[in-house]
Amino acid sequence: MNIRLKPLNEQVIVVTGASSGIGLVTARMAARRGARLMLTARNEQALQQVIREINGQRSNGGVADFVAGDVADEAVVRRVRDQAIDRFGRIDTWINCAGISIYGRVVDVSLEDQRRLFETNFWGVVTGSRIAVEHLRKEGGALINIGSILSDRAIPLQGIYCASKHAVKAYTDALRMEVEHDRLPISVTLVKPGSVDTPYAQHAKNYLPNEPQNASPVYYAPEVVAETILHCADHPVRDVFVGGGAKVVSMLGNLAPRLMDKVMKYTMFTAQQRDQAEQDRLDHGLYGPATGLQERSGRAPYVAESSLYTQASLHPMMTGAVAAVAGAALISLCRRGIANGRSANGHGSGMRPVRNRTNEEFW
């Protein structure tokens, strides 16, 4: 099936989890590029402010509407679809971005909390994907699910989050194969970010004695993830890591799983906790809306504003062309150096080779 996706400035895009972090940055970026947006999250006040902001700056054609609610509620998700069609006439791209985490040993986290996390992270994605495919199968478009590097490699202290992202990966991969088998004009993409500077840890429920944090010496800006998502909205992509570190962790997890177990065991218990006691165990977004309109955490020690690896992954032909040109230039330089060396040692001038007294080799 030859899938053709519209340019962003001609698209109607649904974004879940649009009140903070990656979802908020993606919504704002898509609006600046002229997309029409239907946004959803639990924080109605934050959504209202985002809508006023987007609709008040319409120089690029971007316009937005919203439905406040929980993606764990199928009725809410269907209302998102219906309102997008009523307002804009169709949907071209559906982005499942809503998510939440829990920090704590899996045996300590209550079953109630574990089920609640799955309602958002997994069943919210499943519900959104089913409703999106129902609509997109007619005219085509893109379905983009946000996974994680933890879709590939589990870590301690976020076991239930890892389990939900493993489930999202398996569901997305199975759905993609079924869509392709039925020759539906839908691109199904899984985006797998590494550590991103968002209020992810602040919004998570915490069972640890200290304040939690995302574990990485280097974080990627949420704009890097948003750029990747929007690229996938108008270019069919199977899956993509955001950040070269995410790819490395995934590869090592597959090639040397036991070694990675040991690395994680000795590093992740301290790397995911700040040197600060837990502030308020009730201040989290597991059961209700967390603080909205936060794009970044403000806690990251270093934030990378771009990813060469991800750009290379998304533009393989351009990367190949650059590599070919660089390779040709390198070969040319090597040949020139060899020719100059031979000339300096008498080759090509009728002189005999000179023995190198240092290493007893002939040039």
Side-chain angles (χ1 to χ4, degrees):
M1 173 63 66
N2 185 21
I3 300 172
R4 296 184 179 181
L5 303 177
K6 297 182 178 73
L8 283 176
N9 61 0
E10 298 177 12
Q11 286 203 28
V12 176
I13 301 176
V14 170
V15 183
T16 74
S19 63
S20 67
I22 294 169
L24 175 60
V25 175
T26 302
R28 285 171 166 164
M29 188 178 291
R32 289 194 296 269
R33 297 181 184 181
R36 288 166 288 174
L37 297 161
M38 181 57 62
L39 310 180
T40 188
R42 293 173 297 178
N43 192 325
E44 183 171 2
Q45 185 177 0
L47 288 175
Q48 289 174 342
Q49 187 167 334
V50 175
I51 297 304
R52 286 195 298 269
E53 169 195 316
I54 291 173
N55 293 341
Q57 302 173 356
R58 299 176 65 171
S59 58
N60 294 322
V63 62
D65 199 351
F66 77 93
V67 171
D70 194 330
V71 294
D73 185 343
E74 182 178 355
V76 169
V77 183
R78 292 197 176 276
R79 192 158 66 246
V80 171
R81 177 203 58 190
D82 294 343
Q83 189 157 322
I85 296 170
D86 290 344
R87 177 73 189 276
F88 303 119
R90 66 178 191 277
I91 297 168
D92 300 299
T93 294
W94 188 294
I95 303 168
N96 285 312
C97 201
I100 191 68
S101 189
I102 299 173
Y103 284 82
R105 288 171 168 79
V106 289
V107 295
D108 293 338
V109 178
S110 72
L111 290 178
E112 179 185 9
D113 284 353
Q114 294 189 43
R115 290 191 177 101
R116 174 59 199 176
L117 182 144
F118 255 78
E119 286 293 332
T120 299
N121 290 13
F122 178 67
W123 291 110
V125 169
V126 170
T127 302
S129 297
R130 287 167 62 91
I131 291 172
V133 169
E134 286 176 6
H135 177 79
L136 296 175
R137 68 186 305 137
K138 303 170 186 175
E139 301 296 332
L143 169 64
I144 302 171
N145 291 337
I146 309 306
S148 168
I149 174 54
L150 304 183
S151 298
D152 289 0
R153 172 67 222 186
I155 61 175
L157 300 185
Q158 288 193 77
I160 193 62
Y161 178 84
C162 297
S164 72
K165 290 301 183 178
H166 272 66
V168 166
K169 178 182 184 296
Y171 178 83
T172 304
D173 289 347
L175 176 62
R176 183 188 304 108
M177 290 183 283
E178 293 168 2
V179 163
E180 291 176 354
H181 175 270
D182 295 342
R183 301 183 62 80
L184 301 181
I186 304 172
S187 171
V188 179
T189 301
L190 181 67
V191 177
K192 296 185 284 188
S195 293
V196 183
D197 183 26
T198 67
Y200 168 91
Q202 292 100 306
H203 291 174
K205 184 167 183 179
N206 186 28
Y207 281 75
L208 304 175
N210 292 347
E211 281 283 296
Q213 64 180 5
N214 214 345
S216 180
V218 177
Y219 295 73
Y220 287 92
E223 287 81 0
V224 180
V225 188
E227 287 276 7
T228 302
I229 291 169
L230 295 183
H231 176 91
C232 298
D234 60 8
H235 297 81
V237 175
R238 182 189 186 276
D239 60 7
V240 59
F241 291 96
V242 180
K247 177 64 175 179
V248 170
V249 170
S250 176
M251 288 179 59
L252 290 176
N254 289 326
L255 295 173
R258 188 56 184 150
L259 173 62
M260 286 301 288
D261 286 349
K262 293 180 179 180
V263 170
M264 297 296 181
K265 178 176 65 176
Y266 287 114
T267 62
M268 285 296 146
F269 283 85
T270 55
Q272 295 183 86
Q273 299 185 67
R274 304 179 72 203
D275 294 329
Q276 181 180 347
E278 164 68 32
Q279 298 299 300
D280 184 356
R281 289 183 181 269
L282 298 178
D283 182 21
H284 60 78
L286 186 61
Y287 290 94
T291 304
L293 301 177
Q294 289 181 272
E295 293 185 349
R296 302 196 183 195
S297 71
R299 297 178 174 180
Y302 175 78
V303 179
E305 302 293 335
S306 63
S307 169
L308 291 176
Y309 168 80
T310 302
Q311 287 300 312
S313 299
L314 296 176
H315 303 92
M317 294 185 66
M318 183 182 299
T319 303
V322 170
V325 171
L330 181 61
I331 291 170
S332 176
L333 286 172
C334 290
R335 286 176 174 172
R336 191 175 302 171
I338 291 171
N340 290 339
R342 285 177 174 173
S343 177
N345 285 303
H347 286 267
S349 62
M351 297 177 64
R352 296 182 64 186
V354 178
R355 181 182 295 273
N356 184 319
R357 296 181 182 276
T358 303
N359 56 20
E360 296 297 322
E361 291 178 357
F362 288 99
W363 290 96

